[in-house]
């Protein structure tokens, strides 16, 4: 699947994870999930629930608006 077919969330999650030098496994472990869950979010267009989104925002030092593609401001 090409990036232009993925959701902004999927693309930004992967970019931010890499910018924070985290593997899928490391991110999953910090959220108490399996690595396959992170892969589903990045590759299959699935999205986390609200509580998990808040945790992701904190771990990745971003905003929910940026991660969800609502805003292009990453601060």
């Amino acid at each position: 699947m090409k990036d232009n077919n993925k959701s902004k969330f999927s693309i930004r999650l992967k970019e931010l994870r890499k910018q924070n030098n985290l593997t899928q496994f490391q991110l999953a472990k910090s959220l108490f999930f399996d690595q396959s869950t992170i892969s589903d979010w990045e590759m299959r267009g699935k999205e986390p629930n609200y509580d998990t989104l808040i945790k992701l925002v904190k771990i990745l030092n971003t905003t929910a608006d940026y991660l969800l593609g609502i805003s292009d401001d990453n601060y």
Side-chain angles (χ1 to χ4, degrees), residues 1-27:
M1 183 183 289
K2 293 184 179 183
D3 278 352
N4 60 0
N5 293 330
K6 293 182 189 177
S7 70
K8 282 191 178 185
F9 170 79
S10 296
I11 294 167
R12 290 183 175 179
L13 174 63
K14 186 174 184 177
E15 287 174 354
L16 289 166
R17 177 180 57 76
K18 288 184 174 189
Q19 285 175 11
N20 283 275
N21 298 312
L22 295 169
T23 64
Q24 286 183 348
F25 179 80
Q26 290 168 324
L27 181 56

Side-chain angles (χ1 to χ4, degrees), residues 22-39:
L22 295 169
T23 64
Q24 286 183 348
F25 179 80
Q26 290 168 324
L27 181 56
K29 186 175 177 182
S30 68
L31 295 167
F32 303 100
F33 287 119
D34 291 329
Q35 181 264 327
S36 62
T37 301
I38 308 302
S39 178

Side-chain angles (χ1 to χ4, degrees), residues 50-68:
Y50 176 79
D51 291 333
T52 304
L53 178 64
I54 298 305
K55 291 176 186 175
L56 278 169
V57 164
K58 290 178 182 178
I59 292 168
L60 299 173
N61 296 317
T62 191
T63 65
D65 283 355
Y66 181 78
L67 189 56
L68 294 172

